[in-house]
Amino acid sequence: MYINNHLTQISNVLVIGCGGAGLRAAIEVKLAGLEVLVLGKRVKTDSHTVLAAGGINAAFGNIDPEDSWEHHFADTYLEGYGIGDPLQIELMAKESPTLVKEIDRWGANFAKLENGSLDQRYFGAHTYRRTCYSGDYTGLSILKALLKKADALNIPIDDNQYVTDLLIRDKVCFGAMSFNTRTNERTVHIANAVILCTGGHTKIWKRSSSRKNENTGDGYYLSLKAGCELTDMEMVQFHPSGILLPEEIAGTLVTEAVRGEGGKLINSKGERFMANYDKKRMELSTRDRVAIANYTEIVEGRGTPNGGVYLDISHKSKEFIMKKLPSIYKQFLDTQMLDISKHPMEVAPTAHYSMGGVFISPEDHCTSIRGLYAAGEVAGGLHGANRLGGNSLAEILIFGKRAGLASISYSKQINSHIKSDKSIKKAHENINRFLRKGTEAVTPLQLHLSNTMWKYCGVIKDKELLETGLKKVLEIKDMIESVNIRSSDSSYKDLIQIFNLEASVTSAQATILSALQRKESRGAHQRSDYPKLNPSERCNYHIKLNKRTLDLDICVNHIAPLQKNHQDIISSSDQIVNFEGKLIE
């Protein structure tokens, strides 16, 4: 079947993704007086941002006056195991207080102290209390504030568009192709600049905090096809605590705020086992260490009947829990009829955050393709080998704004829209190739991929597991061309799924290739055959699509030594030795 009909839409800046990063970028563009359009494949009120529950970091020092942006920088850089981009980290640490105050004014309504300043609490591995919050629904409160601001500015948001291709001519991005997920109508979006804010790829694991049709790696695949590089794809954060039951919501996040407010991790023997993994920081150690601890307790036979560990907050009063953790209290009551003020929860590690992503410049988040920018989880470089809780919400605001500002500057230099009929035709052909009958169903292949990634590229892996996993991923990749697609004027469900699967398979391949290449254990990347950190592996691995062979190539990017100003910050930052009374409240 060949279709080449499409609508045409023109704007100064096109934003792909209607979560926090995309909305903040669009707001900045609109405030500058330019025309902007936001596309999304999920309803705008339910983007993945709502799942960032625990809080947002800013070094105000409202509770701990000793805190500063320098301490925030040091915590982020050191807990990223030295491979995060120091300039990105510095920008985040410096600019987060301003952006946090701004979003609070826009209606995020963060918790306040009696003097009116923002309350702050501990989050794992932060030296001081710097996490601002709205109960345990901080991401939702931020998203609502951004949507309210976008609505006030009359920013158009089309949240039933699936973007299949970026439109490129001579290494310049001039728009995107999408189809309407309700009507199947195609649109060619012409724009001076395009900002990718499409999230990560954690849904490709069986247990994941992501939901259906989100974080399937489509932004990574779009950028690879456009000619960009990916970085640090092996660095996938497994959150220590995902819900176990019921099966249909397995992997759903149990916020770190539970541990932040005093939750204890206990194995089937009744042992508070974090003392064996990080005696000083206990439950508020870094996410990678807590996830490894939970995973180890489970695989070594000290897990719960349902294959998890216990997370217990029942030593706190019900009033305290209802005030600090209302959503989690309701979630367990609704799904398991479990009162967490009386009984412990069962949790297990869950794929939670993609710390790698599109390789971008630190200041303006531009890619190697002119006119193409990336912000939020889709972009790499900030978190290194381990992301600190609360940094992702700061990231979407700071770098969403910065990408917006960069796109404004670039767009104003463009006198007329460029266009390529060849690129548009190719984008049509990319959709048309799936409009045919086949022998494979897409859903079983998606399940096969998620099971493969969980079994062979999970919390702890080795060469044999990874090589087996890669072989199975490539087998799935070969089967995509045989998938049967049932498309009609009323539903493009199968077409959405096949594009999700193609992006997921490529993202999975990139992840395993990078994990095989990194022969050490560093942060979230843990290999049982290389259990120690290797100083010579202080580097970033980059992935690029070979346009000739259509395979993925990998190369190493060596990291320059820290500049003196950053070295001075690290050496002068306070390192807490006695954590008593500091982390466990």
Side-chain angles (χ1 to χ4, degrees):
M1 183 185 298
Y2 186 79
I3 300 173
N4 63 358
N5 298 324
H6 63 259
L7 302 175
T8 301
Q9 185 279 330
I10 300 175
S11 60
N12 297 117
V13 178
L14 177 69
V15 178
I16 303 173
C18 58
L23 291 174
R24 187 60 190 83
I27 288 168
E28 201 63 28
V29 174
K30 189 68 174 181
L31 287 172
L34 274 64
E35 291 302 313
V36 61
L37 172 65
V38 181
L39 304 180
K41 66 175 186 177
R42 287 185 68 91
V43 60
K44 63 184 179 182
T45 55
D46 193 36
S47 66
H48 190 69
T49 305
V50 304
L51 298 186
I56 181 170
N57 297 329
F60 289 115
N62 293 340
I63 303 293
D64 297 320
E66 311 96 311
D67 200 12
S68 65
W69 78 260
E70 290 91 346
H71 286 302
H72 191 183
F73 171 91
D75 285 348
T76 302
Y77 180 79
L78 291 173
E79 296 300 346
Y81 292 80
I83 65 168
D85 186 307
L87 183 51
Q88 274 198 71
I89 298 170
E90 178 183 341
L91 291 171
M92 180 199 66
K94 281 183 173 179
E95 296 177 9
S96 59
T98 300
L99 273 294
V100 168
K101 284 182 179 178
E102 176 186 75
I103 198 67
D104 187 57
R105 290 196 306 271
W106 289 356
N109 193 29
F110 297 136
K112 306 292 194 304
L113 298 169
E114 290 184 1
N115 64 7
S117 59
L118 297 179
D119 192 9
Q120 298 187 277
R121 62 185 176 194
Y122 282 116
F123 241 16
H126 289 281
T127 306
Y128 298 107
R129 286 169 283 193
R130 67 169 64 100
T131 304
C132 306
Y133 62 95
S134 298
D136 59 354
Y137 48 88
T138 309
L140 177 61
S141 69
I142 288 174
L143 183 70
K144 285 182 175 179
L146 289 169
L147 286 169
K148 180 181 177 182
K149 185 69 172 179
D151 185 59
L153 294 171
N154 294 315
I155 295 174
I157 303 172
D158 192 345
D159 56 3
N160 50 35
Q161 295 290 326
Y162 194 107
V163 175
T164 58
D165 275 291
L166 298 174
L167 300 176
I168 308 294
R169 189 183 81 177
D170 299 329
K171 296 186 178 180
V172 177
C173 184
F174 66 89
M177 168 73 83
S178 72
F179 66 84
N180 188 299
T181 57
R182 296 174 185 170
T183 68
N184 83 30
E185 197 166 40
R186 301 179 191 180
T187 301
V188 169
H189 305 272
I190 306 295
N192 294 335
V194 175
I195 306 176
L196 275 178
C197 303
T198 50
H201 71 314
T202 50
K203 188 57 182 172
I204 69 175
W205 279 267
K206 178 183 177 181
R207 292 192 187 277
S208 170
S209 60
S210 298
R211 301 160 301 180
K212 187 176 181 180
N213 289 334
E214 67 178 9
N215 287 332
T216 52
D218 34 322
Y220 299 150
Y221 191 43
L222 287 171
S223 62
L224 281 173
K225 290 192 295 180
C228 301
E229 293 185 4
L230 303 181
T231 184
D232 298 334
M233 287 299 289
E234 74 278 18
M235 296 303 176
V236 177
Q237 186 173 72
F238 287 84
H239 194 285
S241 50
I243 198 169
L244 284 176
L245 298 170
E247 184 63 33
E248 58 266 26
I249 62 168
T252 300
L253 197 65
V254 178
T255 174
E256 190 175 39
V258 176
R259 291 183 287 119
E261 299 297 348
K264 301 174 183 178
L265 289 167
I266 299 169
N267 62 22
S268 59
K269 293 185 175 182
E271 300 167 335
R272 193 175 171 191
F273 58 83
M274 277 308 299
N276 300 324
Y277 300 90
D278 192 338
K279 192 171 184 178
K280 293 179 180 178
R281 291 184 290 193
M282 296 292 287
E283 283 81 6
L284 285 188
S285 180
T286 56
R287 284 181 173 174
D288 60 308
R289 291 172 190 167
V290 181
I292 292 165
N294 289 357
Y295 179 82
T296 303
E297 293 296 309
I298 295 166
V299 299
E300 291 186 357
R302 297 183 294 277
T304 63
N306 292 306
V309 295
Y310 293 114
L311 177 58
D312 192 4
I313 192 75
S314 63
H315 54 282
K316 296 287 188 178
S317 70
K318 185 173 182 178
E319 291 74 21
F320 177 90
I321 293 169
M322 292 296 292
K323 178 182 178 182
K324 297 286 189 177
L325 304 163
S327 298
I328 291 297
Y329 182 85
K330 184 176 186 300
Q331 176 177 303
F332 275 88
L333 207 58
D334 290 347
T335 60
Q336 298 182 12
M337 289 296 292
L338 182 75
D339 185 344
I340 66 171
S341 69
K342 298 178 180 178
H343 306 284
M345 300 159 265
E346 285 185 76
V347 298
T350 180
H352 178 53
Y353 196 88
S354 306
M355 290 172 291
V358 183
F359 182 63
I360 44 83
S361 66
E363 297 96 337
D364 57 15
H365 272 44
C366 68
T367 70
S368 57
I369 301 300
R370 286 182 59 203
L372 180 60
Y373 304 82
E377 191 172 355
V378 73
L382 175 65
H383 306 292
N386 184 52
R387 179 180 70 88
L388 292 184
N391 273 354
S392 61
L393 288 176
E395 175 186 21
I396 62 174
L397 297 181
I398 293 159
F399 295 111
K401 177 179 179 178
R402 279 186 162 269
L405 285 169
S407 72
I408 293 165
S409 176
Y410 178 80
S411 179
K412 287 181 176 180
Q413 299 173 25
I414 306 297
N415 295 321
S416 61
H417 291 286
I418 68 168
K419 190 178 177 182
S420 166
D421 291 338
K422 182 179 179 181
S423 294
I424 294 171
K425 181 182 178 182
K426 187 177 179 182
H428 274 297
E429 291 171 348
N430 187 38
I431 302 175
N432 292 335
R433 68 191 172 100
F434 286 126
L435 303 181
R436 41 114 175 98
K437 293 182 179 180
T439 57
E440 299 288 342
V442 65
T443 300
L445 292 181
Q446 289 175 320
L447 292 174
H448 184 24
L449 178 65
S450 64
N451 285 327
T452 295
M453 291 302 288
W454 185 256
K455 183 175 181 179
Y456 299 103
C457 191
V459 179
I460 300 176
K461 43 234 168 220
D462 60 30
K463 181 181 179 181
E464 183 178 354
L465 286 172
L466 290 168
E467 288 182 341
T468 303
L470 181 60
K471 181 181 178 181
K472 291 180 178 294
V473 167
L474 292 176
E475 289 172 354
I476 297 170
K477 190 175 186 177
D478 290 339
M479 297 170 74
I480 288 176
E481 296 304 321
S482 301
V483 167
N484 183 55
I485 299 298
R486 296 170 298 167
S487 62
S488 67
D489 290 341
S490 60
S491 173
Y492 254 37
K493 181 179 179 181
D494 283 359
L495 198 56
I496 293 170
Q497 288 186 321
I498 191 62
F499 274 107
N500 280 344
L501 176 61
E502 189 171 49
S504 296
V505 166
T506 301
S507 298
Q509 184 183 357
T511 300
I512 295 177
L513 284 172
S514 299
L516 277 167
Q517 194 70 28
R518 186 174 289 280
K519 297 176 177 66
E520 65 164 350
S521 289
R522 183 185 294 262
H525 172 75
Q526 293 292 312
R527 288 186 55 163
S528 58
D529 51 347
Y530 293 96
K532 295 183 179 180
L533 187 146
N534 182 354
S536 66
E537 290 266 15
R538 186 177 169 270
C539 62
N540 306 110
Y541 288 103
H542 286 203
I543 295 285
K544 191 169 185 177
L545 179 66
N546 187 314
K547 294 295 181 72
R548 183 178 58 84
T549 65
L550 298 182
D551 203 356
L552 298 182
D553 294 335
I554 187 167
C555 66
V556 62
N557 181 51
H558 296 286
I559 298 173
L562 273 181
Q563 295 180 3
K564 187 178 184 304
N565 63 318
H566 293 142
Q567 289 178 350
D568 291 344
I569 290 171
I570 298 296
S571 61
S572 63
S573 293
D574 296 334
Q575 299 296 308
I576 292 179
V577 176
N578 179 13
F579 284 81
E580 184 176 356
K582 295 290 289 185
L583 296 182
I584 306 301
E585 299 181 1

